[in-house]
Amino acid sequence: AQDTKGVHVATDGTFVYFDDRAGDRVLYCNRTAGCAAPTVLSTSETAISGLTVDEKSVLWATATGEIRRIAAP
């Protein structure tokens, strides 16, 4: 099976959102300022399997099928 942890990326034009290699955190960086120190948006997630963003929220799916949502910064 292919390991897809840490490969989910989404952007709203201002920020770039992504999960870490372990697949248990959602992080973000300013798209134009670089990403030397990403900001953690959410921790203790269960194997993130998808990530997207809308005008108000960052959403992701977990390996258990749960859809999680948090307000975008």
Side-chain angles (χ1 to χ4, degrees), residues 7-70:
V7 297
H8 307 99
V9 178
T11 184
D12 61 8
T14 302
F15 297 105
V16 176
Y17 305 91
F18 55 96
D19 60 323
D20 66 353
R21 189 70 187 150
D24 64 354
R25 296 187 303 168
V26 177
L27 306 101
Y28 72 96
C29 293
N30 185 289
R31 187 182 63 82
T32 60
C35 198
T39 301
V40 177
L41 193 60
S42 182
T43 61
S44 301
E45 298 302 330
T46 305
I48 296 166
S49 62
L51 180 69
T52 191
V53 62
D54 65 19
E55 62 278 352
K56 296 180 182 178
S57 306
V58 180
L59 303 97
W60 60 95
T62 68
T64 60
E66 183 179 6
I67 303 297
R68 306 284 312 255
R69 173 190 305 252
I70 196 165

